[in-house]
Amino acid sequence: MSIAQGRSGQRLVVIGAGSSIGRRLAMTASSAGAELVLAGPDLGKLKETAGKLAGESQLVRFDITNHASIPRLAEEAGAFDHLVSTAAVPANGPLADLDAADVQRAFAAKVTGPLFLAKHLAGQVRDGGSFTFFSGVAAWRPAPERTVMATTNGALAFLVRALAVEVAPLRVNAVSPGIVDSGAWDKLGDGKQEFLRKIADSNPARRVGTPDDIVKAVLFAVDNPYVTGTVLHVDGGARLA
């Protein structure tokens, strides 16, 4: 099924629906006829996303780092076809400055959160359904002050393999983005374009990613019934450079 094909009758849970990529995913799926469950910690951002959708949506305030809230999400989501989580809570910085609570939250967002999402929600997924989580290029291209990011993304890559076996035939995959011009780099101000140019010059694709690049990969993982336990790298080849 391509992005343009209909999704009438499908129900998608999007965790991180208030983010740029999560919002674009929700809009794309909604325009194709899907019913959306929008989940995330900021209800205002979820309402903003809901206002851009073509069809119905349900809003659930949800913090993936609070494992006690996962059973509540399961109750509110009901039966569904696919779950996608873009959640990330980075704990970047020099090793000497890392805070234990921040590191625990980073692991909760990327590793233990997805694990317990599978525990509590796998039984609610309809036949042919899937989970898709977000890893990241840092796992394959570690850098100074990104040790926690590299470790959590790498752990998630192995988690999806294990879960794909554990909850089969429910499919479990990950998408691993590289640098994406999603708005996150706007904080660089006048230096943003130079930063993105250097990134483009350094990878084999000679460009940076867009939210649509990532959404296409997510929907490939969602739609292809023969793909499970896989990490889809959408990084312009950055992990190879």
Side-chain angles (χ1 to χ4, degrees):
M1 179 185 293
S2 71
I3 292 176
Q5 287 179 299
R7 296 182 181 278
S8 179
Q10 284 191 0
R11 183 170 168 88
L12 275 66
V13 179
V14 180
I15 297 172
S19 69
S20 173
I21 293 173
R23 177 171 295 159
R24 187 68 59 88
L25 171 64
M27 291 169 62
T28 302
S30 179
S31 66
E35 178 185 354
L36 275 296
V37 178
L38 309 177
D42 189 326
L43 193 58
K45 289 183 178 180
L46 296 181
K47 289 180 179 178
E48 186 176 346
T49 298
K52 297 178 179 295
L53 301 186
E56 295 183 3
S57 63
Q58 174 184 350
L59 277 56
V60 181
R61 181 179 283 161
F62 172 72
D63 181 357
I64 195 172
T65 68
N66 178 5
H67 294 163
S69 68
I70 293 177
R72 183 174 62 82
L73 174 64
E75 181 179 352
E76 296 200 31
F80 62 92
D81 297 282
H82 304 284
L83 179 147
V84 180
S85 176
T86 71
V89 182
N92 297 327
L95 193 62
D97 296 339
L98 290 179
D99 177 78
D102 291 341
V103 172
Q104 289 167 355
R105 282 175 55 81
F107 272 86
K110 288 280 190 174
V111 186
T112 54
L115 177 66
F116 283 99
L117 282 168
K119 172 184 176 179
H120 288 284
L121 280 78
Q124 298 171 211
V125 182
R126 296 168 180 153
D127 290 347
S130 68
F131 286 134
T132 304
F133 300 107
F134 271 46
S135 181
V137 70
W140 290 266
R141 292 279 297 187
E145 301 187 10
R146 297 296 185 269
T147 297
V148 177
M149 179 181 287
T151 304
T152 54
N153 285 325
L156 177 59
F158 281 94
L159 176 63
V160 299
R161 296 176 61 183
L163 286 177
V165 174
E166 176 86 10
V167 301
L170 169 62
R171 296 180 298 110
V172 185
N173 293 295
V175 170
S176 177
I179 300 298
V180 178
D181 187 8
S182 63
W185 304 105
D186 292 353
K187 61 189 177 184
L188 297 178
D190 293 339
K192 172 185 168 180
Q193 292 306 318
E194 177 65 13
F195 168 75
L196 295 180
R197 185 191 64 77
K198 288 181 179 179
I199 294 296
D201 288 346
S202 69
N203 69 48
R206 300 294 189 265
R207 63 187 289 269
V208 297
T210 67
D212 281 340
D213 292 328
I214 309 305
V215 168
K216 289 175 183 177
V218 170
L219 293 178
F220 172 81
V222 164
D223 291 336
N224 194 309
Y226 207 46
V227 174
T228 192
T230 294
V231 178
L232 299 177
H233 295 278
V234 194
D235 59 11
R239 71 195 182 286
L240 310 174

